[in-house]
Amino acid sequence: MFTLKGFPAETDEITFMDIFSMMIKHVKLSTEKFIKGSVKDVVISVPVHWNLKMREFITSAAEVADLYVLSLISENTAASINYALSQRSSNKTEVVMFYNLGANSLQMSLV
């Protein structure tokens, strides 16, 4: 038997939700330490193929980790937004294709 920090030792069963929310909480705490501030609202990127139940699960896990999910966006959308933000100072118009090569899939976004 082992115990996890912040998890009651008398509990015999650890659920996937518990593990996932602990992982999200760890990322939250690491981010807060890095930015020297608090994080309450988040936008989370998820795989394109995730169904509604999976998306609800990640939202619930984030809420257990004391985060409010503003939105769930696809990984392709997240990549597009990141690219757009990094190109802010440029005034030229470009057409960019994003490839997301996953374990079992290939998604493309043309921006």
Side-chain angles (χ1 to χ4, degrees), residues 33-96:
K33 185 177 178 181
F34 181 77
I35 66 170
K36 295 177 177 61
S38 65
V39 175
K40 287 288 180 198
D41 300 332
V42 295
V43 175
I44 300 176
S45 66
V46 296
V48 174
H49 64 274
W50 274 24
N51 62 29
L52 182 60
K53 188 172 182 176
M54 294 168 165
R55 291 169 183 264
E56 288 171 349
F57 176 84
I58 192 74
T59 300
S60 297
E63 288 171 357
V64 170
D66 298 322
L67 292 169
Y68 176 73
V69 179
L70 297 171
S71 181
L72 295 177
I73 60 175
S74 72
E75 292 168 332
N76 297 12
T77 303
S80 301
I81 291 169
N82 184 44
Y83 179 80
L85 291 174
S86 70
Q87 299 297 314
R88 269 186 167 169
S89 62
S90 175
N91 291 330
K92 61 184 177 182
T93 302
E94 295 182 63
V95 176
V96 180

Side-chain angles (χ1 to χ4, degrees), residues 3-8 22:
T3 59
L4 297 171
K5 185 178 177 182
F7 198 83
M22 282 187 258

